[in-house]
Amino acid sequence: MIVAIADHQLSAEGLRMDKARSINLKLWLTLISTCCAAIFALSLILFSWQVKKDFLIEDTQSDLSHAITHALTRLESTPQTSSLAEIIANTLHAQQFSQIIVTDRRLNVLFSTSPNQTGENALTLSPQLSNTLVGLTAETPIKHQYDTQRQLFTSFGKVAYSDESVNNLVARPFLIMTHYSLENKVSNLYAHYNRNIWIVISAVLVISVLAITISYYFIHKPISVLLALSNRLADFQFNHATSIAGSGELKKLSDNLHKASSTLQQGFEQKKLAQQTALEKQSVLEGIFSALPDIFFIVDKAGKILECHYGSNGTMNIPETPFLGQKLVDVLPAHAAKHFTKAISATEQSGQLTQIEYRIDSDDVTKHFEARLSAIPESQKLVVAVRDITDKKRQEEVILHHAFYDTLTQLPNRFLALDRLQQMIHEAKRNNQLIAVGFIDLDDFKKVNDSMGHEVGDKLLVHSAKILKNALRKHDTVARLGGDEFIVLLGDIADQHHISAIATKLVHLFRSPFEIDDRSFTISLSLGLAVFPSDAMTPNELLRKADSAMYSAKQLGRNTFSFFTESMSQDLNRRLMLEEKMRLALANNQFEVYFQPQYDLRSQYVVGAEALLRWHDEELGWISPGEFIPLAEQTGYIIELGQFVLHTAIQQINSLQHALSTPFRIAVNLSPRQFKDPSLVNTISHLINEFKIDTELLELEITEGVLLSGDELVRDALFELHQLGILISMDDFGTGYSSLNYLRQYPFDVLKIDQSFIFDMNTSEQVQQLVNAIIIMSHNLGIKVIAEGIETQLQLETLASMNCDFGQGYFLGKPMSKIDFEAWLAQYALQPLNIENKSLSIQDY
């Protein structure tokens, strides 16, 4: 990538530069330096020759001017009678003129060093004399002419007199003309240069050698090094080290090439690393693609499919080629394409992950899919991951169905019934109508269960549900609360006589015998009725009063129905009595904590126990937790009772830490009312510090009722307890309608499957699948699972095969008092699960 960028930059730079031509720099530099040295030497010789020659001419001309000036001065100041020959001899003879001529004004020769020229006209001897006389003036009395061919100086000097007269114009000298030859001096100079020519040639050779040497060391050799470096760079050899000393341009070029080499080496290594990383990532992606059951599309912002990847073991193995180049909206049904168009637009605008779900219907099956769209950074592309979530949808439907419907009878459960009742109340208020709530309990159903088994009892419940559902109108509701308890919601009632007619019909239907497994059964029901708005205005109050009416029907001999009356408030007497006794029960040690063992279904060793509160009154005997716990919750005594259970359980953990060699966990139930106590976390923390226990040995169980309010106090308390290291468990999982949401919002470590699931697990394939789905879901969320209510070997084996983590129930061990539990632990704590021994332990304790 770096090389490509560099080439691009160089090519771009080349577009801005003038074209250049390359030559063999070493050859031409050698030739040019040699030629330059020779030319320089030759020019030096010629220049020196010319300078000396010119100097000789100028020096000779200066001497001639001086001599002639001196002669002219003598002639001008000498009387006429003086001898010209003597004057000439004294002034000019020393200059060794080849010829001296003196003329008068008529240019007749008065004196000449050449014989037979005296008396002749000077113009005859020198025709150019007439042109020369024009240039001789008082200011310029002397003029020289040099003949370069003959190497001869011809000089002229005009004599000036201050007292000239006509009579003596001819008698006096007027002009001096001399010839001075430089031929001998020039010859001598040339001879001198001939004698010293070898010195000049040697100098030329020295200069040439010096030029070649300098060129070699400072040009040829650096260029060779740079060429070698560039050849290595061309072969992608970036780590070759060369060095050029100095500070010139070639040094800078070398440094730049070294920097470029280092940069290219680094870029090459980064490129190789990037390629390796890309290959590794590609391998990882291929591994992910092959491992995931998803289809991955790479699409552009217009939804055009550019790439398609999917694993070989996926559930959606479809040919890749038909998708490439097409748009998602063209290969999907119209409703799915519409979802994708909106999702692509939303992802493009927000840049965040967008998730959609859609379905595709075929002739024989409906498939559900989940698509996640995410923008690829620094690109105009999106990645789309499509997963088949049909099985997940089915599991969610099963779970949601169970959240609102009874798994055995498929009737609405308590939550859905109360929700429908609330809607009916709103409608009845608008239409000024009555609503009847019937609470049904099957008479002597427990005897059927105990005598003929749960399987027959379940069939009896299913048959009863069908009778109730078929007997009522379509807009009425039949729901199962649990066990053998049902409720009926009757709307659109004009008067109470209509209610009585329906109640009579239901009672008579159950008086008729019916067959189950070739056996004839006759079972009756007790029905209590509460009417809106005369008896109550809220769903819970209506249900509570219908329950009271049902107990009244029981007291009337069963197999009948009863409307709620104020006289039925007698039940409040027991409530008030229990409330009064509860104030003193804790102080009188009437409350006691029992412990029921919990087993690790993998190792088959006992690993913990659940702390259960029990109340025995001297007058009333054993009081059911189902009776006094709600009362304690309503009165607020549950906080004090909860502290008692926590104190006892943590004290027991401390005792078992020293008695047992392996960790032993104890679970404690916390009620919704306890979470309204702002000192709950501090109380638990104080007990932990007081007894010095490992916080991981304490497990706090909460029901969905704790979370229904969504109170921030509850949320904060749970997170603070979890930060202390205490395990948080959801009890009775599956009985509420929003348990899945709670698992996501709160820090649960353990999930406790409600015993109603375990009870129906081996009689209903749907329930068994639901239990398995809960276990798998919990494990995927990192949550341990404990099953409560294990009562048979088959239930235990089924749960173990589903990889359920822990189990508890009467089959494994019943709740025991502290003393009995410690004795039981001493005998069985270090033994693996043994069914026979457990059976004996139940009888012994």
Side-chain angles (χ1 to χ4, degrees):
M1 181 181 291
I2 295 176
V3 175
I5 293 173
D7 292 342
H8 175 73
Q9 292 176 343
L10 289 175
S11 62
E13 185 67 23
L15 294 175
R16 298 190 295 268
M17 295 174 59
D18 295 334
K19 292 183 179 180
R21 187 178 298 277
S22 176
I23 60 173
N24 190 328
L25 192 58
K26 294 192 291 184
L27 173 64
W28 282 97
L29 280 176
T30 303
L31 292 176
I32 290 172
S33 61
T34 303
C35 292
C36 287
I39 292 172
F40 173 75
L42 181 60
S43 300
L44 182 63
I45 294 172
L46 294 176
F47 178 73
S48 176
W49 160 260
Q50 188 64 40
V51 167
K52 288 202 173 186
K53 184 177 178 183
D54 292 342
F55 178 76
L56 177 62
I57 293 172
E58 290 178 3
D59 186 59
T60 302
Q61 182 175 333
S62 176
D63 291 344
L64 291 176
S65 296
H66 180 72
I68 294 174
T69 300
H70 181 61
L72 292 175
T73 303
R74 288 286 304 275
L75 288 174
E76 291 172 357
S77 60
T78 302
Q80 184 176 5
T81 57
S82 298
S83 172
L84 288 175
E86 183 179 352
I87 294 171
I88 294 302
N90 292 333
T91 58
L92 299 177
H93 184 69
Q95 299 296 330
Q96 300 179 354
F97 291 100
S98 59
Q99 185 178 13
I100 302 173
I101 298 175
V102 180
T103 69
D104 56 13
R105 291 184 63 88
R106 298 182 184 278
L107 300 181
N108 293 321
V109 178
L110 299 178
F111 173 79
S112 175
T113 55
S114 298
N116 302 322
Q117 289 184 352
T118 302
E120 294 186 10
N121 191 291
L123 290 174
T124 304
L125 299 176
S126 181
Q128 75 273 21
L129 184 59
S130 59
N131 294 330
T132 302
L133 290 175
V134 178
L136 293 176
T137 64
E139 290 78 11
T140 308
I142 300 174
K143 187 174 183 181
H144 303 284
Q145 294 180 354
Y146 180 70
D147 188 350
T148 56
Q149 292 182 354
R150 294 187 300 165
Q151 298 177 0
L152 178 67
F153 261 108
T154 301
S155 303
F156 304 91
K158 181 180 178 181
V159 183
Y161 295 97
S162 58
D163 55 347
E164 291 182 340
S165 63
V166 178
N167 294 329
N168 59 11
L169 287 176
V170 178
R172 288 177 175 265
F174 174 75
L175 180 68
I176 298 177
M177 182 179 68
T178 62
H179 292 288
Y180 187 85
S181 176
L182 292 177
E183 184 177 1
N184 289 334
K185 291 184 177 181
V186 172
S187 297
N188 291 336
L189 181 62
Y190 183 75
H192 173 75
Y193 269 90
N194 284 336
R195 288 194 300 271
N196 295 290
I197 191 64
W198 292 109
I199 297 175
V200 175
I201 293 174
S202 298
V204 170
L205 291 176
V206 170
I207 293 172
S208 298
V209 171
L210 181 62
I212 292 172
T213 302
I214 292 173
S215 174
Y216 174 76
Y217 281 103
F218 297 105
I219 298 178
H220 293 189
K221 196 170 182 178
I223 289 176
S224 298
V225 172
L226 293 176
L227 283 174
L229 179 58
S230 65
N231 290 334
R232 290 184 175 86
L233 291 178
D235 295 333
F236 296 97
Q237 300 177 11
F238 303 121
N239 56 353
H240 182 74
T242 58
S243 177
I244 296 178
S247 59
E249 290 81 358
L250 295 180
K251 168 64 175 176
K252 294 180 180 178
L253 179 59
S254 174
D255 292 342
N256 291 337
L257 286 176
H258 275 297
K259 291 180 181 177
S261 175
S262 299
T263 303
L264 290 173
Q265 175 67 19
Q266 183 178 4
F268 189 71
E269 291 176 353
Q270 290 177 349
K271 181 180 179 182
K272 290 179 65 178
L273 180 61
Q275 290 176 342
Q276 182 65 28
T277 304
L279 290 175
E280 292 176 357
K281 290 183 177 180
Q282 181 67 23
S283 300
V284 171
L285 287 176
E286 290 177 356
I288 293 174
F289 291 149
S290 62
L292 293 177
D294 298 353
I295 296 181
F296 294 88
F297 295 103
I298 305 298
V299 302
D300 58 18
K301 295 300 178 67
K304 182 179 179 181
I305 301 174
L306 306 177
E307 297 182 34
C308 178
H309 303 278
Y310 52 84
S312 58
N313 59 344
T315 61
M316 298 181 289
N317 290 334
I318 51 180
E320 175 181 342
T321 306
F323 285 114
L324 298 181
Q326 299 190 53
K327 290 187 176 182
L328 282 173
V329 295
D330 296 333
V331 298
L332 292 170
H335 67 278
K338 184 177 180 181
H339 286 304
F340 269 97
T341 301
K342 293 181 178 179
I344 290 174
S345 177
T347 304
E348 183 179 2
Q349 292 176 4
S350 65
Q352 298 179 350
L353 178 69
T354 303
Q355 181 174 325
I356 61 173
E357 292 184 5
Y358 62 96
R359 76 175 191 278
I360 297 180
D361 300 319
S362 60
D363 296 336
D364 55 346
V365 68
T366 297
K367 287 280 190 178
H368 293 269
F369 297 95
E370 177 187 78
R372 297 187 178 188
L373 295 83
S374 179
I376 300 177
E378 300 180 1
S379 72
Q380 298 296 316
K381 302 176 182 177
L382 301 174
V383 60
V384 181
V386 179
R387 171 172 293 187
D388 186 347
I389 59 170
T390 304
D391 293 338
K392 176 184 175 183
K393 277 291 184 182
R394 289 172 181 169
Q395 291 179 356
E396 288 180 355
E397 289 173 359
V398 170
I399 293 174
L400 290 175
H401 180 80
H402 182 74
F404 294 101
Y405 291 88
D406 177 59
T407 56
L408 178 63
T409 63
Q410 302 304 312
L411 294 177
N413 60 12
R414 179 188 183 93
F415 292 104
L416 182 55
L418 290 177
D419 182 70
R420 289 186 179 179
L421 179 55
Q422 185 65 56
Q423 295 177 15
M424 292 172 67
I425 290 174
H426 290 315
E427 186 175 353
K429 287 180 179 179
R430 288 195 302 268
N431 301 329
N432 195 24
Q433 294 175 335
L434 301 180
I435 298 174
V437 176
F439 197 105
I440 298 174
D441 184 84
L442 300 180
D443 299 330
D444 297 324
F445 176 77
K446 187 176 185 301
K447 293 180 180 180
V448 176
N449 255 351
D450 294 341
S451 61
M452 298 184 181
H454 289 292
E455 184 177 356
V456 175
D458 290 345
K459 292 180 179 180
L460 180 58
L461 291 173
V462 172
H463 181 76
S464 301
K466 288 181 180 178
I467 293 176
L468 292 172
K469 189 173 182 180
N470 293 332
L472 298 179
R473 299 164 299 178
K474 290 184 178 180
H475 61 271
D476 294 332
T477 297
V478 180
R480 183 190 177 198
L481 295 184
D484 61 341
E485 295 179 339
F486 298 86
I487 59 173
V488 293
L489 307 178
L490 308 176
D492 191 18
I493 302 296
D495 54 53
Q496 192 160 334
H497 296 291
H498 192 187
I499 302 173
S500 298
I502 297 175
T504 302
K505 177 182 177 182
L506 293 177
V507 172
H508 281 287
L509 284 173
F510 275 82
R511 290 175 180 174
S512 302
F514 54 88
E515 291 186 358
I516 295 177
D517 293 342
D518 298 329
R519 291 186 180 183
S520 180
F521 289 89
T522 301
I523 189 169
S524 62
L525 60 78
S526 297
L527 172 60
L529 295 164
V531 181
F532 170 87
S534 59
D535 294 331
M537 299 293 292
T538 64
N540 286 325
E541 189 67 16
L542 283 169
L543 191 60
R544 186 180 67 82
K545 290 190 176 182
D547 187 15
S548 298
M550 185 272 297
Y551 278 108
S552 176
K554 291 277 189 185
Q555 293 173 358
L556 292 174
R558 305 182 180 185
N559 191 21
T560 186
F561 67 91
S562 175
F563 282 95
F564 174 79
T565 62
E566 291 300 327
S567 62
M568 294 176 184
S569 60
Q570 294 175 358
D571 294 339
L572 293 176
N573 295 332
R574 177 174 174 84
R575 180 180 181 277
L576 294 174
M577 180 178 59
L578 289 178
E579 183 177 343
E580 185 177 355
K581 285 181 173 292
M582 191 179 294
R583 297 174 183 174
L584 301 175
L586 191 58
N588 295 334
N589 295 323
Q590 293 181 357
F591 286 103
E592 187 177 359
V593 176
Y594 275 48
F595 299 92
Q596 185 176 21
Q598 294 178 343
Y599 276 84
D600 186 327
L601 299 186
R602 293 190 181 92
S603 67
Q604 297 188 353
Y605 281 91
V606 62
V607 293
E610 181 179 4
L612 302 170
L613 187 62
R614 294 293 183 262
W615 183 13
H616 183 272
D617 183 77
E618 294 179 356
E619 179 182 354
L620 301 177
W622 288 101
I623 302 172
S624 170
E627 186 177 8
F628 74 80
I629 291 294
L631 181 60
E633 185 79 25
Q634 294 173 7
T635 58
Y637 292 137
I638 193 66
I639 294 178
E640 189 175 357
L641 290 175
Q643 290 177 352
F644 166 71
V645 176
L646 281 169
H647 185 278
T648 305
I650 292 175
Q651 187 178 30
Q652 185 67 33
I653 293 174
N654 175 267
S655 176
L656 294 178
Q657 278 185 160
H658 299 88
L660 300 178
S661 59
T662 57
F664 193 87
R665 186 182 69 255
I666 292 183
V668 179
N669 287 281
L670 293 181
S671 70
R673 188 65 176 268
Q674 285 179 270
F675 279 92
K676 295 182 179 180
D677 179 12
S679 63
L680 174 65
V681 177
N682 291 334
T683 299
I684 296 175
S685 179
H686 175 73
L687 290 173
I688 291 173
N689 294 329
E690 179 182 353
F691 290 100
K692 310 294 183 185
I693 67 165
D694 186 351
T695 55
E696 293 184 354
L697 300 180
L698 176 61
E699 178 181 328
L700 300 180
E701 295 184 2
I702 63 171
T703 61
E704 187 181 24
V706 175
L707 308 175
L708 284 176
S709 65
D711 194 346
E712 289 295 327
L713 187 63
V714 175
R715 177 186 295 273
D716 295 342
L718 284 177
F719 277 96
E720 288 181 28
L721 292 171
H722 193 265
Q723 289 178 354
L724 291 176
I726 298 172
L727 300 179
I728 306 298
S729 171
M730 173 174 275
D731 195 11
D732 299 334
F733 180 79
T735 59
Y737 61 87
S738 56
S739 301
L740 293 177
N741 193 37
Y742 294 146
L743 292 180
R744 182 177 62 87
Q745 292 180 355
Y746 296 96
F748 287 106
D749 303 291
V750 181
L751 183 148
K752 200 168 188 178
I753 302 177
D754 186 68
Q755 60 184 352
S756 62
F757 288 86
I758 310 304
F759 182 79
D760 297 331
M761 182 176 60
N762 295 115
T763 60
S764 171
E765 179 66 24
Q766 188 180 32
V767 175
Q768 186 171 338
Q769 290 181 1
L770 182 59
V771 171
N772 188 44
I774 292 173
I775 294 173
I776 293 174
M777 176 194 67
S778 300
H779 287 171
N780 288 337
L781 294 174
I783 299 176
K784 299 290 186 180
V785 180
I786 181 171
E788 63 177 345
I790 300 176
E791 298 183 1
T792 66
Q793 173 72 23
L794 182 58
Q795 291 173 350
L796 178 64
E797 292 175 353
T798 303
L799 289 168
S801 67
M802 292 179 180
N803 293 322
C804 183
D805 300 287
F806 308 106
Q808 77 177 80
Y810 267 60
F811 186 72
L812 302 176
K814 70 174 184 177
M816 293 171 273
S817 66
K818 182 176 183 295
I819 297 175
D820 293 341
F821 180 66
E822 290 177 349
W824 183 87
L825 275 180
Q827 184 175 358
Y828 297 111
L830 299 179
Q831 295 182 17
L833 182 62
N834 185 296
I835 304 306
E836 294 181 358
N837 287 344
K838 297 301 168 224
S839 299
L840 290 175
S841 68
I842 292 174
Q843 299 298 326
D844 294 340
Y845 297 100

